Amino acid sequence: MGDKLDDFSRAFYPFLHDDDRKPQELLKELRFSLMEKVRESVEVKTRFFEENQDAILDASLAIARAYNGGNKMLVCGNGGSATDAQHVAVEFMHPITVGRKALPAICLSNDMAMVSAVANAVGFEHVFTRQVIALGLEGDVLLGISTSGNSENITNAFETARRIGMLTIGFAGGEGGRMREMREKGLLDFCLRVPTSSIHRIQESHVALYHTMWDLVHTFLQNRSLLG
């Protein structure tokens, strides 16, 4: 393991392994590397929002209409995307902006007793499906977050949610994986994909995306003439 980590470090940060370099020279390289990552992050997010602004507006309006009709949102993800799913639910349930209404949102990744029970008895690919069956109602929203777009437990949940009559929204990255295929076949209402292979850039864009959509949903709810 140590050799692999050393190889990775040498490949991406060769200047750290040049014993002849002075500390100030190394710091200069690190500052440059830092700013390059920041610039890349900004560029990826800017391109994503420019290319998807209409889809983002449409998805936000659809969520607002669901809430206006008395429905709720279910959110799910795995790993880092599970923490994003939890973040989404907290944003909607506990708005930090004065005047914004608390809206019902449940993070399906949070219930570890339920997740582990289903994973143990049936299979990890069904951990969200069972919760959607129990909690989802026609008109509710299911938001699934997956950097690859291929998380089987999320795509299975989307299939179940569609049969119930829920609005389905996927956040993906890279080529979009199974989520993109489902969207192209009309099996997913929205697939918002960040087209980069960097997991970090995808996750950073997802954070900006759900913060932006949270604000748009509330804007639509406060301007009911836009709800149609």
Side-chain angles (χ1 to χ4, degrees), residues 6 36 48 77 84 114 116 172 191 206 216 221:
D6 188 62
E36 282 298 293
F48 167 73
D84 281 328
M114 180 66 180
S116 59
C191 179
H206 284 172
L216 288 169
L221 289 173

Side-chain angles (χ1 to χ4, degrees), residues 124-172:
F124 192 70
E125 67 273 22
H126 299 296
V127 295
F128 300 135
T129 298
R130 288 299 179 95
Q131 295 182 78
V132 168
I133 292 171
L135 300 172
L137 298 173
E138 182 178 359
D140 285 348
V141 181
L142 176 61
L143 170 60
I145 306 174
S146 169
T147 55
S148 68
N150 284 317
S151 299
E152 189 176 7
N153 52 12
I154 294 177
T155 57
N156 285 342
F158 280 145
E159 292 175 356
T160 299
R162 291 278 290 187
R163 288 195 293 271
I164 292 172
M166 298 172 64
L167 173 71
T168 52
I169 302 172
F171 287 6

Side-chain angles (χ1 to χ4, degrees), residues 97-108:
T97 303
V98 175
R100 294 291 172 89
K101 180 181 178 182
L103 300 170
I106 302 170
C107 176
L108 304 182

